[in-house]
Coordinates of all heavy atoms in Angstrom, one line a residue:
E1 N 101.0 6.2 49.9 CA 100.3 5.8 48.7 C 98.9 5.2 49.0 O 98.7 4.7 50.1 CB 101.1 4.7 47.9 CG 102.5 5.1 47.5 CD 103.5 4.5 48.4 OE1 103.3 4.4 49.6 OE2 104.6 4.3 47.9
S2 N 98.0 5.2 48.0 CA 96.7 4.6 48.1 C 96.2 4.2 46.7 O 96.8 4.7 45.7 CB 95.7 5.5 48.8 OG 95.5 6.7 48.1
G3 N 95.2 3.4 46.6 CA 94.6 3.1 45.4 C 95.0 1.7 44.8 O 94.4 1.3 43.8
G4 N 95.9 1.0 45.5 CA 96.3 -0.3 45.0 C 95.2 -1.3 45.2 O 94.2 -1.0 45.9
G5 N 95.3 -2.5 44.6 CA 94.3 -3.5 44.8 C 94.4 -4.5 43.6 O 95.4 -4.7 43.0
S6 N 93.3 -5.1 43.4 CA 93.2 -6.2 42.3 C 92.4 -5.7 41.1 O 91.4 -4.9 41.3 CB 92.6 -7.4 42.9 OG 93.3 -8.0 43.9
A7 N 92.8 -6.1 39.9 CA 92.1 -5.8 38.7 C 92.2 -6.9 37.7 O 93.1 -7.7 37.8 CB 92.6 -4.5 38.1
Q8 N 91.2 -7.0 36.8 CA 91.3 -8.0 35.8 C 92.1 -7.5 34.6 O 92.3 -6.2 34.4 CB 89.9 -8.3 35.3 CG 89.0 -9.0 36.3 CD 87.7 -9.5 35.7 OE1 87.5 -10.7 35.4 NE2 86.8 -8.5 35.5
P9 N 92.7 -8.3 33.8 CA 93.4 -7.8 32.6 C 92.5 -6.9 31.8 O 91.3 -7.3 31.5 CB 93.7 -9.1 31.8 CG 93.8 -10.2 32.9 CD 92.8 -9.8 33.9
G10 N 93.0 -5.8 31.3 CA 92.2 -4.8 30.6 C 91.6 -3.8 31.5 O 91.0 -2.8 31.0
G11 N 91.6 -4.0 32.8 CA 91.0 -3.1 33.7 C 91.9 -1.9 34.0 O 93.0 -1.7 33.5
S12 N 91.4 -1.1 35.0 CA 92.1 0.2 35.4 C 92.2 0.3 36.9 O 91.4 -0.2 37.6 CB 91.4 1.4 34.8 OG 91.4 1.4 33.4
L13 N 93.3 1.0 37.3 CA 93.5 1.4 38.7 C 94.1 2.8 38.7 O 94.8 3.1 37.7 CB 94.4 0.4 39.5 CG 93.8 -0.9 39.8 CD1 94.9 -1.8 40.4 CD2 92.6 -0.8 40.8
R14 N 93.9 3.5 39.7 CA 94.5 4.9 39.9 C 95.2 4.9 41.2 O 94.5 4.8 42.3 CB 93.4 6.0 39.8 CG 94.0 7.4 39.8 CD 93.0 8.4 39.6 NE 93.5 9.8 39.5 CZ 93.9 10.4 38.4 NH1 93.8 9.8 37.2 NH2 94.4 11.6 38.4
L15 N 96.5 5.1 41.2 CA 97.3 5.2 42.4 C 97.5 6.7 42.8 O 97.7 7.5 41.9 CB 98.7 4.6 42.3 CG 98.7 3.1 41.8 CD1 100.1 2.6 41.8 CD2 97.8 2.2 42.7
S16 N 97.4 7.0 44.1 CA 97.7 8.4 44.5 C 98.7 8.4 45.6 O 98.9 7.4 46.4 CB 96.4 9.0 45.1 OG 95.4 9.1 44.0
C17 N 99.5 9.4 45.6 CA 100.6 9.6 46.6 C 100.4 11.0 47.2 O 100.5 12.0 46.5 CB 101.9 9.4 46.0 SG 103.3 9.8 47.0
V18 N 100.2 11.1 48.5 CA 100.1 12.4 49.2 C 101.4 12.7 49.8 O 102.0 11.9 50.6 CB 98.9 12.3 50.2 CG1 98.9 13.7 51.0 CG2 97.6 12.0 49.6
V19 N 101.9 13.9 49.6 CA 103.1 14.4 50.1 C 102.9 15.3 51.3 O 102.1 16.3 51.2 CB 103.9 15.2 49.0 CG1 105.3 15.6 49.6 CG2 104.1 14.3 47.8
S20 N 103.5 15.0 52.4 CA 103.5 15.8 53.6 C 104.9 16.4 53.9 O 105.9 15.7 53.6 CB 102.9 15.0 54.8 OG 101.6 14.5 54.5
G21 N 104.9 17.5 54.6 CA 106.2 18.1 54.9 C 106.6 19.1 53.8 O 105.9 19.4 52.9
S22 N 107.9 19.6 54.0 CA 108.4 20.5 53.1 C 108.8 19.9 51.7 O 109.4 18.9 51.7 CB 109.7 21.2 53.7 OG 110.3 22.1 52.8
I23 N 108.4 20.6 50.7 CA 108.7 20.1 49.3 C 109.8 20.9 48.6 O 110.1 20.8 47.5 CB 107.5 20.1 48.4 CG1 106.9 21.5 48.2 CG2 106.4 19.1 49.0 CD1 105.8 21.6 47.2
S24 N 110.4 21.8 49.4 CA 111.3 22.8 48.8 C 112.6 22.1 48.2 O 113.2 22.7 47.3 CB 111.8 23.8 49.9 OG 112.4 23.2 51.0
N25 N 112.9 20.9 48.7 CA 114.1 20.2 48.2 C 113.8 19.1 47.3 O 114.7 18.3 46.9 CB 114.9 19.7 49.4 CG 115.5 20.8 50.2 OD1 115.3 20.8 51.5 ND2 116.2 21.7 49.6
I26 N 112.5 19.0 46.9 CA 112.1 17.9 45.9 C 112.1 18.5 44.5 O 111.5 19.4 44.2 CB 110.7 17.4 46.2 CG1 110.7 16.7 47.6 CG2 110.2 16.4 45.2 CD1 109.3 16.3 48.0
N27 N 112.9 17.9 43.6 CA 113.1 18.3 42.3 C 112.4 17.4 41.2 O 112.2 17.8 40.1 CB 114.6 18.4 41.9 CG 115.3 19.3 42.9 OD1 116.3 18.9 43.5 ND2 114.9 20.6 42.9

């Protein structure tokens, strides 16, 4: 994961998750 941090009320953040390895068994 990445993108976490601090924000003020009413603000915005965008979190990202990068997947490595085989995804064949992820549903």
Side-chain angles (χ1 to χ4, degrees):
E1 303 103 327
S2 63
S6 298
Q8 296 186 103
S12 298
L13 288 172
R14 187 177 182 90
L15 306 182
S16 294
C17 173
V18 178
V19 183
S20 299
S22 177
I23 62 172
S24 62
N25 296 126
I26 298 176
N27 304 119

